[in-house]
Amino acid sequence: TAIAWMRTRISDRARILRHHFIGVSAKPEKMTAYGIPESNQIRFWDWVGGRFSLWSGIGLPIALKLGMVGFKQLLAGAHAMDTHFAQAPLADNLPVLMGLLQVWNSTFLGINGQAILPYDARLKLFPSYLTQLEMESNGKTVDRLGTPIDYATCPILWGEVGSNAQYAFYQLLHQGTQPVACDFIAPIRRYSRDDDTGSSLQYQQQLALANCLAQSRVLMLGDATRQGHHYYRGNQPSSTLLFDELTPYRLGQLIALYEHKVYVASALWNINPFDQWGVELGKQIATATHTVMTGRANADEYDGSTQQLLRVIANGRTGWERGLPRADLPQSDAPRVSAAGSLSPDSPWAAKEQLS
């Protein structure tokens, strides 16, 4: 798409690739076949999994954003955590402690959810980053030898900036029926402006820290003096990670901390955190499904549910309205509803609900 856009102004494709594109791949032959000159190719090892690759050439966009000084600080922070993991005694080893906690909570206490709650909006995407790092690495049902296991492994991860999450899903954390382990993450200092605006921002940072500590305290202790709707059971596990301020160096340490934690948990569960075969089958089926959608194959071998969904897509009509007339369709094309209120079996709007 980018090349097509640039070719509206520059017709020479080779010139575009020579002056405006850089390739990053473990397969230089494919970059060359695409037309990217060797001088514009950045290589990395073929054994580097995507979710562990930001430290390699894949980190080019990060370097462009932070500058090379900032990117080198990010790498230095990660290296410091690598050294800590390799050398610190087990009792003081942060990745080891966090891995042990995760295995204890998930496998032994049966806590199948983990919330990542940074109290700094600059880390708003960190929970999303960890969902791939942790669930793609340790979401496994077989051990390293391929033997099925009979114990729980990686919990379901999600998260949000803490100040937003308080008004979204903290209700479930405090009073819901599903136990959830929480990681609170916060810098102690932020904003260095020495003026009225700086004072106001520093006050907001203090409030954010106060909320962070208050929420973890309530999860731990609850409030048994309250009854009914006001009862807080407490006894919910959480960890609080505090650091002086958010810098590229500290961010590098934080990311590497979770990477090593993932490895520790995988070792305890005896699973391989560096493959992702669960992703592959869906991609293969998606390729085959696309051939059906483009008329290059038929859907005779597909299940009835998928066949019906493909028919709905082919007709260009969707079924989420469940009986509500669509304003952009003639009334005759609206879904047909029986007297009992259910979709007629032959309605093109009917899909999975026929199977329920």
Side-chain angles (χ1 to χ4, degrees):
T1 302
I3 292 178
W5 172 72
M6 297 190 74
R7 292 194 73 177
T8 62
R9 296 291 185 270
I10 306 173
S11 60
D12 188 343
R13 186 178 186 273
R15 180 184 175 191
I16 292 173
L17 291 172
R18 185 168 60 252
H19 294 289
H20 298 282
F21 280 79
I22 293 176
V24 183
S25 175
K27 298 182 177 180
E29 68 278 5
K30 289 193 173 183
M31 290 190 284
T32 300
Y34 190 75
I36 297 175
E38 186 175 353
S39 59
N40 289 13
Q41 296 179 11
I42 297 177
R43 306 178 188 183
F44 62 94
W45 303 281
D46 58 6
W47 46 263
V48 177
R51 57 192 176 277
F52 298 99
S53 66
L54 71 87
W55 320 107
S56 70
I58 292 294
L60 174 62
I62 302 173
L64 293 175
K65 176 67 175 179
L66 294 179
M68 281 308 299
V69 172
F71 186 64
K72 288 180 179 179
Q73 290 175 354
L74 184 80
L75 297 181
H79 178 68
M81 184 56 66
D82 293 345
T83 302
H84 167 80
F85 179 49
Q87 299 179 359
L90 295 182
D92 300 318
N93 196 302
L94 280 177
V96 170
L97 295 175
M98 290 180 66
L100 286 168
L101 283 172
Q102 185 173 62
V103 172
W104 175 251
N105 288 331
S106 180
T107 307
F108 292 91
L109 298 185
I111 299 174
N112 299 318
Q114 182 162 1
I116 308 299
L117 306 167
Y119 274 77
D120 190 315
R122 294 172 294 176
L123 291 172
K124 65 181 179 180
L125 295 179
F126 192 57
S128 297
Y129 177 82
L130 292 184
T131 58
Q132 182 192 14
L133 175 65
E134 299 224 18
M135 291 195 288
E136 193 169 65
S137 296
N138 287 342
K140 309 291 172 59
T141 56
V142 298
D143 64 19
R144 292 173 183 266
L145 298 178
T147 305
I149 56 179
D150 59 358
Y151 46 84
T153 55
C154 183
I156 299 170
L157 265 78
W158 81 97
E160 176 59 86
V161 175
S163 54
N164 296 336
Q166 288 180 198
Y167 301 98
F169 54 79
Y170 274 35
Q171 168 62 38
L172 182 145
L173 300 183
H174 289 301
Q175 293 185 314
T177 58
Q178 303 295 326
V180 177
C182 298
D183 281 3
F184 294 92
I185 304 170
I188 297 172
R189 295 191 304 274
R190 187 179 179 184
Y191 308 114
S192 57
R193 294 177 54 171
D194 189 18
D195 55 18
D196 290 342
T197 300
S199 297
S200 177
L201 292 172
Q202 291 165 19
Y203 176 70
Q204 291 180 20
Q205 173 67 6
Q206 291 175 347
L207 286 179
L209 285 171
N211 275 276
C212 176
L213 299 182
Q215 297 295 335
S216 63
R217 187 173 190 273
V218 172
L219 284 172
M220 178 177 62
L221 299 176
D223 190 345
T225 64
R226 300 168 182 254
Q227 300 299 321
H229 298 301
H230 301 284
Y231 173 72
Y232 292 79
R233 70 180 181 277
N235 198 31
Q236 297 275 70
S238 72
S239 299
T240 302
L241 296 173
L242 295 175
F243 45 91
D244 50 0
E245 56 185 336
L246 183 58
T247 63
Y249 184 88
R250 291 291 184 231
L251 181 61
Q253 287 184 309
L254 184 63
I255 295 172
L257 168 62
Y258 275 90
E259 286 186 348
H260 292 311
K261 168 217 169 179
V262 164
Y263 175 75
V264 170
S266 75
L268 294 170
W269 284 320
N270 192 31
I271 58 179
N272 183 359
F274 303 115
D275 64 25
Q276 56 280 332
W277 294 112
V279 180
E280 300 304 319
L281 180 59
K283 291 193 294 186
Q284 295 170 14
I285 294 177
T287 300
T289 303
H290 186 253
T291 64
V292 175
M293 295 174 67
T294 54
R296 292 173 289 155
N298 61 60
D300 293 345
E301 301 299 321
Y302 280 72
D303 59 277
S305 172
T306 303
Q307 288 185 21
Q308 178 64 1
L309 292 172
L310 287 168
R311 284 194 290 270
V312 170
I313 292 171
N315 289 336
R317 300 170 182 171
T318 58
W320 68 269
E321 289 92 343
R322 293 188 60 85
L324 295 176
R326 281 180 53 170
D328 59 337
L329 288 178
Q331 189 62 32
S332 60
D333 285 336
R336 295 176 291 283
V337 182
S338 67
S342 60
L343 289 168
S344 300
D346 61 343
S347 169
W349 293 53
K352 294 260 187 185
E353 57 266 18
Q354 292 185 13
L355 302 177
S356 60

